[in-house]
Amino acid sequence: VDEYQDTNVAQYLWLRLLAQGHRNLACVGDDDQSIYGWRGADIRNILDFEQDFAGARVVRLEQNYRSTSRILEAANAVISRNVRRKGKTLRTDAGAGEVLTVVEAWDERDEAEWITQAIETALARGTITTPRECVVLYRTNAQSRALEEGFRRHDMPYQVVGGTRFYERREIMDVLAYLRLLSNPRDAAAFDRIVNYPKRGIGDVSKAALYAWAAERGVPPLEAALQADEIDSLRGQAAASLSGFAERIVRFRGLAAHTGVGILIEQLVAEMGIIAALQEEGPEGVDRIDNVRELVSGAHEFDSLPPDAEDDVPDVDATALDLFLQKVSLLTDLDQSDAGASAVTLMTMHNAKGLEFPVVFISGLEEGLFPLSRAFDEPETLEEERRLFYVGITRARRKLVLTHVRQRRRAGETMPCIPSSFLEPIPPALLETLETPDVRRKRAEMGSWRGDRRTGFRRESRQPVFDDADDGVYIDYSDAQEEPRFVKGERVRHPQFGRGVIRELTGFGRDVKAVIEFDRAGRKKVVLRYANLQKEL
């Protein structure tokens, strides 16, 4: 049996039945690469092998033929923090190799920009000969959006392996169809895609009757839907659903004329029930919701950025929505080009298992993203997240680059970020640390910052609000507050909600927010300086 660490309970029982007579079972596996617990894999199968099959001979295969010794030292240091493991130390004869590079970027756009430029620089210097030598790994599929756009800005060919390109994902195309219909009410294809999504009781027979009536009068389907109660061949419920849908589209068209695209999409997906529909799809729907939220983040980013200098002067009558759809249309066209070109590979950490690349970038190394926030409440899940990081590290043959950001958009809200705790065990002697030009520039503008594991990045000294300020007005970002300090996992008491446990802390200075799981009131988000929390003794 190969990949024994990925077997589930049923497979284990079958193997035990098959082998119990002759005891002729040979298994190969790596407990440190058990990363499919969410699919039912049970790491206990490999951890308890000697107990289940007494007298079994164990052969440790610790010689690594892929990576340099510095990469393996980092991997060994990371995985040694796990408690549930058999224990081994990888070694290699490949030599020390390059140090690992840890890069701090300002946000996900800056992160993508730095990675793209790093690959361009490596190609120009001859460090690599083709983009195919590089892979960018990420924890969640939604992260590909910023990376894909970064590569497109630089005409860098890329391929998404084990997944679909961001703007080709079903849920993204559904939302974009809504937007296209808002922008162009005569778009029949967009209307047809979404008129019954989420389901509104509008079947094929009703649509056929609507389209026939519209064709007779030479009007687009949306206009016909507004007059659905006049179509005799439509049943009452279907007619009501069609007219209700059309009236909402008309109302959102009016909103689009004077609203940012980010806010527009947020309101659209909520009112149309798209998120609720995806929630009904189970675990797969969770990933699709993350993608929709990432589309919202991208739209807010679009709203906040000035037009690119090389762009043509836009039509003065074009709305923000029109310009956004023009951008997406261009990106979609690029998706269809250079399919066979030598390209950078983009993939999730899970899809990278079993593969290897000369140069590996692991992006998004922030608390709450990698490891995922839900892992903090479950030690077994946290250990599986750490094994996933170990898998990512050991995909690299020559060079490993680890990136994290100071702030990241989550569903349109910009959240401060803390570097992943997975970076802590790596010995400093194995690392070089870099900042992107954006981080250096903003740090010069805003003062000296340092990392704070509890609240993110904060300014160490009091600096003028503006560099040339001479009026004595200062902003103090220090944590020196009269309020007591709190830590994740600590039990507290709230005057209204009662007792609970702090699950997350975000923000800095006087704006620290906490997510608290209350014993009776459930999960709530509070601002610490207003919450009047008391520590539980």
Side-chain angles (χ1 to χ4, degrees):
V1 181
D2 194 16
E3 303 286 3
Y4 189 68
Q5 77 281 351
D6 294 333
T7 55
N8 58 34
V9 173
Q11 291 166 331
Y12 162 76
L13 293 173
W14 271 110
L15 287 169
R16 193 173 69 177
L17 287 168
L18 288 168
Q20 63 185 3
H22 296 282
R23 303 184 65 76
N24 56 345
L25 177 63
C27 295
V28 180
D30 182 357
D31 54 300
D32 289 334
Q33 295 192 56
S34 179
I35 59 173
Y36 295 114
W38 52 281
R39 286 184 181 172
D42 192 337
I43 192 174
R44 292 176 298 179
N45 293 352
I46 191 169
L47 294 180
D48 298 341
F49 188 85
E50 297 96 316
Q51 176 182 327
D52 294 337
F53 300 95
R57 180 187 176 198
V58 177
V59 180
R60 281 182 166 78
L61 305 177
E62 298 179 310
Q63 177 74 32
N64 180 284
Y65 299 92
R66 173 188 297 145
S67 307
T68 64
S69 65
R70 283 193 170 111
I71 292 171
L72 295 183
E73 284 180 57
N76 290 330
V78 167
I79 202 62
S80 67
R81 293 289 182 93
N82 271 9
V83 175
R84 302 180 71 217
R85 62 188 298 259
K86 302 180 82 69
K88 67 177 181 300
T89 302
L90 297 181
R91 63 181 185 275
T92 182
D93 296 331
E98 295 185 48
V99 295
L100 285 64
T101 302
V102 177
V103 181
E104 179 184 48
W106 185 253
D107 55 21
E108 64 269 31
R109 181 184 173 93
D110 187 35
E111 178 183 51
E113 189 73 13
W114 189 92
I115 290 173
T116 307
Q117 291 184 1
I119 295 172
E120 287 180 334
T121 300
L123 286 167
R125 292 176 177 174
T127 309
I128 59 174
T129 58
T130 170
R132 194 191 304 271
E133 296 179 43
C134 301
V135 65
V136 184
L137 305 179
Y138 38 83
R139 180 61 184 87
T140 66
N141 275 304
Q143 289 172 253
S144 77
R145 193 269 312 169
L147 293 164
E148 289 184 54
E149 292 188 6
F151 286 127
R152 291 182 182 114
R153 285 194 296 270
H154 288 259
D155 294 324
M156 175 73 68
Y158 72 92
Q159 58 179 342
V160 178
V161 174
T164 306
R165 291 191 175 207
F166 185 80
Y167 289 103
E168 295 175 354
R169 293 169 191 167
R170 186 200 80 199
E171 61 280 8
I172 300 303
M173 294 176 69
D174 288 337
V175 176
L176 292 177
Y178 272 99
L179 299 182
R180 290 201 307 271
L181 189 58
L182 296 183
S183 177
N184 176 15
R186 303 187 68 86
D187 191 327
F191 180 93
D192 186 69
R193 184 181 183 101
I194 61 173
V195 65
N196 197 41
Y197 179 78
K199 292 188 179 301
R200 302 183 177 88
I202 303 170
D204 291 340
V205 173
S206 298
K207 286 198 293 184
L210 176 78
Y211 295 157
W213 191 90
E216 288 176 4
R217 288 156 181 78
V219 299
L222 181 63
E223 185 176 334
L226 285 169
Q227 306 172 62
D229 56 349
E230 300 177 12
I231 303 175
D232 295 335
S233 55
L234 281 176
R235 296 176 182 176
Q237 182 57 47
S241 295
L242 280 166
S243 59
F245 167 76
E247 288 166 3
R248 284 185 175 185
I249 294 297
V250 170
R251 178 160 53 83
F252 272 103
R253 270 182 52 77
L255 188 64
H258 54 80
T259 304
V261 185
I263 294 175
L264 180 70
I265 298 177
E266 281 186 72
Q267 295 184 12
L268 181 74
V269 298
E271 184 169 331
M272 292 297 183
I274 294 173
I275 297 298
L278 292 173
Q279 286 173 334
E280 295 177 0
E281 297 184 18
E284 183 179 340
V286 173
D287 288 340
R288 295 189 186 279
I289 290 171
D290 286 342
N291 289 331
V292 171
R293 288 173 174 161
E294 184 60 28
L295 179 65
V296 172
S297 295
H300 278 288
E301 179 183 290
F302 173 84
D303 291 334
S304 67
L305 293 173
D308 292 335
E310 65 270 19
D311 286 349
D312 293 333
V313 178
D315 183 346
V316 293
D317 295 326
T319 65
L321 174 60
D322 297 332
L323 298 177
F324 179 76
L325 288 172
Q326 287 176 24
K327 171 198 168 189
V328 170
S329 177
L330 174 61
L331 298 180
T332 305
D333 289 343
L334 287 172
D335 275 344
Q336 299 168 357
S337 64
D338 296 325
S342 175
V344 179
T345 299
L346 300 180
M347 65 173 67
T348 64
M349 218 75 64
H350 282 97
N351 284 322
K353 188 169 179 287
L355 303 178
E356 60 181 66
F357 296 84
V359 181
V360 172
F361 297 83
I362 300 180
S363 62
L365 277 162
E366 299 121 38
E367 292 288 87
L369 182 56
F370 196 24
L372 294 173
S373 56
R374 64 173 177 265
F376 297 122
D377 297 334
E378 303 170 5
E380 292 184 9
T381 304
L382 184 60
E383 291 210 347
E384 182 162 316
E385 289 282 294
R386 189 177 285 112
R387 292 194 292 270
L388 189 57
F389 185 41
Y390 171 85
V391 167
I393 292 174
T394 53
R395 299 311 92 196
R397 285 163 47 192
R398 296 199 316 261
K399 180 67 179 178
L400 178 63
V401 182
L402 311 169
T403 67
H404 62 91
V405 303
R406 286 195 172 179
Q407 60 180 36
R408 187 176 293 272
R409 284 187 184 271
R410 303 272 181 93
E413 182 180 359
T414 299
M415 304 291 291
C417 298
I418 302 171
S420 173
S421 55
F422 288 167
L423 296 171
E424 291 179 353
I426 303 176
L430 300 177
L431 302 174
E432 65 170 350
T433 57
L434 303 177
E435 296 175 330
T436 66
D438 243 19
V439 170
R440 291 196 297 271
R441 177 175 59 80
K442 292 180 185 295
R443 179 160 50 80
E445 293 173 355
M446 304 175 69
S448 177
W449 294 67
R450 66 180 178 86
D452 183 323
R453 297 260 345 123
R454 181 173 66 84
T455 60
F457 289 90
R458 72 166 189 263
R459 190 183 297 183
E460 288 183 298
S461 58
R462 298 173 76 242
Q463 298 288 340
V465 177
F466 304 104
D467 290 343
D468 57 354
D470 60 359
D471 57 0
V473 178
Y474 290 83
I475 292 180
D476 191 344
Y477 282 86
S478 75
D479 272 338
Q481 302 179 43
E482 295 180 0
E483 293 87 354
R485 295 190 179 190
F486 297 95
V487 296
K488 190 161 55 181
E490 188 173 26
R491 286 197 63 84
V492 294
R493 182 196 295 268
H494 187 277
Q496 179 181 354
F497 302 124
R499 294 181 175 89
V501 177
I502 295 178
R503 297 303 188 193
E504 296 178 30
L505 288 164
T506 57
F508 51 85
R510 294 180 60 80
D511 294 322
V512 176
K513 300 179 181 68
V515 174
I516 303 174
E517 190 79 45
F518 290 102
D519 297 345
R520 294 186 177 180
R523 185 164 287 215
K524 307 285 184 184
K525 189 171 186 179
V526 300
V527 179
L528 287 189
R529 61 177 165 140
Y530 299 131
N532 196 22
L533 292 181
Q534 300 295 321
K535 291 173 178 282
E536 282 267 282
L537 300 178

